C-alpha cells in the first residue's frame, strides 16, 4: 500500500482486512493477512478462551497448516484405534508412529489467536457483527466494506473474511448453501487415573445404529471426550445413541463436566465462497469432510487461503480485479478441499448403506488400515488416494453401485470379519 493511501485510510480508520470469528479458520486468516504486512482486525463475539463442541483431533493436514513455530498443546498422542460396530465386533489396530494428536479447543484456539497477534493482527473480543454492507450510505466508496456491529458501530475494511461458524451471518451475506446438516452431541467426562490410563494413547470409533452415524472416545489426560454424530432430524435417536454409548463404555457413573451439542453443515457443490470483497472460510463456508465431519484441518487450510486472497482483494482497485481474485480463491479451495469433500460425500453415501463393510475393511484389510494411517498422519488425502491408487478407484466405484443392506444381512456381513 502506498504512503498516500495509508494516510487516507488512517484518517478514515479503514482496515485492510477485517476477520469475523476467532476460531481456527479466522485466526489462520488473520495470521496469513497480518504476516503479509497488512492492517488486520480480528473480531470475536465471545471472550477467549471459550469452549467449543469438538472432538479435538489434530490430523496431519491440520498440523501441516499451522503457523511456523506453533507448538501443539497436545493432551494425548494417539497410537491405537479401537473400532466397533454399534458396540460389537470390537478390534484394536495399532501404529508405531503417532496417528494424530488430541487437543482441547480453548487452549488450541487461544494459541492460534496469539500467533495472529504476534504477526500484527489486532484482536477485539465481546463484539457481535450484525451485518456487512458493500453498498449504501455506510460505504464511502466501492473499494470498502462496512462491518456493522451490534450497537451501531461501523468498521471499514478493504476486504472481509467471514469465519463466524456454521450459523454464519457473513455466510448468509455471501449466500452460502448447504446440502448436509448433522447433529453432534458431546460430553466431557472427568475420570479417575485408573480409567484414564486404560484409554491413554488409544481412541475408539464406533459405527452407529443410524445411517451415517458414529461415536468416538478421545482421551485427554484426566478427561474423556465422548461424542456421537448423525444426520439432523434424528435428535431423539442421536441422544439415545450417546446415552447407550456412554453406558456400555462403563462411564455412566461419572458426572460430565460439559454436555453440549452442535450442528455441522457441509456446503453444496455450487455454493459461493465470496461476494464482492467478502470471503468465507471454514464452517462459515460449509467446508468440512462430509463422512467424518472433520473440520479443523478444513478450517486451518481454508482460513490461510482466505487470508492470503483477502490481501489481494484489499489491493484490488476495481470490481473486475476484485472478482478475479475472488474466483482465484474459490479455485484454490475447490482444487484441494473441494476434491476431498467430493470423495467424502461418496464415502458417506456408501457408509450410510453398508457400515459393516467399512468396519470389515478397516479391521480386516491391511490396505484399508494403511490408507487410514496415511490420511491421519498427513502422508496423503482422500482425494489423492482415489486419484493415484487404481485399487481405491475401483473400490469406491464398486461401493457407489452396491445396494444397501440392513438387519441380519449386515450383522452377518460384519460377523464374517470378526
Amino acid at each position: 500500500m502506498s504512503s498516500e493511501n495509508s494516510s487516507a485510510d488512517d484518517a478514515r480508520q479503514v482496515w485492510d482486512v477485517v476477520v469475523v470469528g476467532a476460531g481456527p479458520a479466522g485466526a489462520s486468516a488473520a495470521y496469513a493477512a497480518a504476516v503479509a504486512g497488512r492492517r488486520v482486525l480480528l473480531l470475536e463475539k465471545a471472550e477467549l478462551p471459550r469452549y467449543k463442541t469438538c472432538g479435538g483431533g489434530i490430523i496431519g493436514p491440520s498440523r501441516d497448516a499451522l503457523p511456523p513455530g506453533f507448538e501443539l498443546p497436545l493432551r494425548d498422542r494417539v497410537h491405537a484405534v479401537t473400532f466397533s460396530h454399534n458396540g460389537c465386533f470390537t478390534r484394536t489396530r495399532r501404529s508405531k508412529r503417532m496417528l494424530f494428536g488430541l487437543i482441547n479447543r480453548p487452549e488450541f484456539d487461544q494459541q492460534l489467536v496469539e500467533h495472529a497477534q504476534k504477526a500484527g493482527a489486532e484482536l477485539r473480543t465481546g463484539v457481535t457483527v450484525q451485518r456487512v454492507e458493500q453498498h449504501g450510505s455506510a460505504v464511502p466508496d466501492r473499494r470498502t466494506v462496512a462491518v456493522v456491529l451490534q450497537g451501531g458501530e461501523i468498521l471499514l475494511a478493504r476486504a472481509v473474511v467471514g469465519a463466524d461458524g456454521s450459523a454464519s451471518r457473513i455466510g448468509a451475506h455471501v449466500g452460502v448453501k448447504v446440502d448436509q446438516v448433522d447433529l453432534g452431541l458431546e460430553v466431557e467426562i472427568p475420570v479417575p487415573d485408573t480409567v484414564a490410563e486404560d484409554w491413554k494413547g488409544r481412541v475408539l470409533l464406533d459405527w452407529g445404529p443410524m445411517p451415517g452415524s458414529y461415536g468416538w472416545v478421545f482421551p485427554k489426560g484426566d478427561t474423556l471426550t465422548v461424542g456421537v454424530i448423525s444426520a439432523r432430524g434424528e435428535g431423539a435417536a442421536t441422544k439415545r445413541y450417546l446415552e447407550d454409548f456412554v453406558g456400555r463404555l462403563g462411564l455412566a457413573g461419572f458426572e460430565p463436566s460439559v454436555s453440549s451439542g452442535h450442528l455441522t453443515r457441509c456446503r453444496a457443490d455450487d455454493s459461493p465462497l465470496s461476494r464482492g470483497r467478502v470471503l468465507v472460510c471454514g464452517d462459515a463456508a460449509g467446508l468440512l469432510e462430509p463422512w467424518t465431519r472433520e473440520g479443523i484441518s478444513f478450517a486451518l487450510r481454508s482460513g490461510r487461503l482466505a487470508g492470503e486472497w483477502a490481501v489481494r482483494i484489499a489491493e484490488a482497485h476495481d470490481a473486475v480485479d476484485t472478482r478475479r481474485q475472488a474466483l482465484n480463491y474459490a479455485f484454490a479451495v475447490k482444487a484441494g478441499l473441494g476434491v476431498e469433500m467430493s470423495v467424502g460425500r461418496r464415502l458417506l453415501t456408501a457408509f450410510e448403506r453398508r457400515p459393516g463393510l467399512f468396519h470389515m475393511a478397516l479391521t480386516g484389510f491391511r490396505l484399508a488400515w494403511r490408507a487410514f494411517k496415511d490420511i491421519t498422519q498427513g502422508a496423503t488425502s482422500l482425494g489423492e488416494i482415489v486419484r493415484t491408487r487404481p485399487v481405491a478407484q475401483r473400490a469406491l466405484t464398486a461401493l457407489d453401485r452396491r445396494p444397501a443392506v440392513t438387519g441380519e444381512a449386515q450383522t452377518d456381513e460384519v460377523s464374517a470379519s470378526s
Side-chain angles (χ1 to χ4, degrees):
M1 181 184 294
S2 71
S3 58
E4 181 181 337
N5 283 342
S6 180
S7 299
D9 284 354
D10 286 342
R12 293 179 296 170
Q13 295 182 317
V14 179
W15 297 88
D16 291 321
V17 180
V18 168
V19 180
V20 183
S28 295
Y31 174 86
V35 85
R38 300 305 182 265
R39 299 179 62 206
V40 180
L41 177 62
L42 178 58
L43 303 176
E44 169 58 45
K45 67 179 179 182
E47 297 297 336
L48 298 176
R50 81 287 186 257
Y51 181 81
K52 282 287 184 181
T53 305
C54 178
I58 300 296
I59 60 176
S62 298
R63 185 194 61 236
D64 295 342
L66 292 167
F70 189 97
E71 292 187 16
L72 278 165
L74 293 181
R75 291 297 177 137
D76 205 344
R77 292 169 169 80
V78 177
H79 287 266
V81 182
T82 297
F83 296 100
S84 63
H85 188 214
N86 201 19
C88 302
F89 315 112
T90 301
R91 183 174 179 186
T92 299
R93 306 209 67 163
R94 302 183 184 277
S95 169
K96 291 180 182 178
R97 283 183 57 220
M98 184 180 83
L99 294 167
F100 55 95
L102 299 174
I103 52 91
N104 284 331
R105 279 289 301 276
E107 298 171 338
F108 178 68
D109 291 12
Q110 177 72 36
Q111 205 166 307
L112 282 170
V113 168
E114 288 171 0
H115 270 258
Q117 289 177 286
K118 288 174 186 174
E122 186 173 318
L123 172 69
R124 283 183 62 180
T125 58
V127 175
T128 299
V129 173
Q130 291 283 59
R131 64 186 184 279
V132 291
E133 296 180 4
Q134 301 195 64
H135 308 281
S137 58
V139 183
D141 58 60
R142 292 183 178 181
R143 289 189 59 222
T144 308
V145 182
V147 180
V148 183
L149 307 183
Q150 193 173 58
E153 183 183 355
I154 295 174
L155 304 172
L156 300 178
R158 296 295 181 210
V160 170
V161 175
D164 48 336
S166 62
S168 169
R169 292 189 177 184
I170 311 302
H173 172 80
V174 167
V176 171
K177 296 183 286 184
V178 298
D179 63 5
Q180 177 187 329
V181 184
D182 297 286
L183 171 64
L185 301 177
E186 193 170 77
V187 287
E188 303 281 353
I189 304 178
V191 293
D193 290 345
T194 51
V195 176
E197 187 63 30
D198 182 53
W199 284 98
K200 187 175 181 182
R202 177 174 66 95
V203 302
L204 169 64
L205 296 176
D206 177 74
W207 316 122
M210 297 91 72
S213 67
Y214 76 97
W216 61 88
V217 180
F218 285 180
K220 299 171 185 175
D222 58 1
T223 300
L224 299 178
T225 298
V226 183
V228 300
I229 195 163
S230 67
R232 183 178 65 172
E234 298 281 352
T238 307
K239 186 177 180 183
R240 202 159 48 243
Y241 176 28
L242 179 60
E243 291 169 352
D244 292 345
F245 188 42
V246 170
R248 66 173 179 251
L249 290 168
L251 300 172
F254 302 113
E255 186 68 26
S257 58
V258 178
S259 181
S260 63
H262 179 65
L263 290 176
T264 64
R265 296 176 170 89
C266 285
R267 69 186 294 273
D269 270 338
D270 62 345
S271 179
L273 290 163
S274 67
R275 178 180 173 186
R277 291 177 173 266
V278 179
L279 305 177
V280 285
C281 59
D283 284 346
L287 291 166
L288 70 158
E289 203 284 298
W291 175 35
T292 63
R293 290 78 154 189
E294 189 277 323
I296 294 178
S297 76
F298 280 71
L300 292 168
R301 291 180 286 173
S302 66
R304 183 179 63 189
L305 290 171
E308 291 169 353
W309 258 274
V311 168
R312 296 180 174 103
I313 286 173
E315 295 168 347
H317 286 279
D318 56 40
V320 173
D321 194 20
T322 299
R323 180 64 177 157
R324 182 186 304 118
Q325 301 302 341
L327 287 172
N328 286 339
Y329 167 66
F331 178 80
V333 170
K334 292 173 183 177
L337 301 179
V339 171
E340 291 180 37
M341 289 186 73
S342 178
V343 175
R345 283 191 187 94
R346 292 172 69 188
L347 283 172
L348 176 63
T349 299
F351 175 67
E352 287 172 338
R353 296 197 309 253
R354 303 178 70 93
L357 197 61
F358 279 74
H359 185 72
M360 181 172 64
L362 285 165
T363 58
F365 290 94
R366 189 175 298 171
L367 279 176
W369 170 243
R370 187 183 300 161
F372 179 92
K373 287 198 301 181
D374 287 347
I375 291 167
T376 57
Q377 290 170 339
T380 188
S381 67
L382 275 175
E384 189 71 9
I385 284 176
V386 172
R387 189 178 68 82
T388 61
R389 302 183 189 179
V391 66
Q393 295 171 12
R394 291 195 297 270
L396 191 54
T397 300
L399 283 170
D400 287 341
R401 293 170 182 164
R402 277 178 178 256
V405 293
T406 56
E408 288 183 17
Q410 191 158 118
T411 302
D412 292 342
E413 179 182 83
V414 183
S415 297
S417 72
S418 60

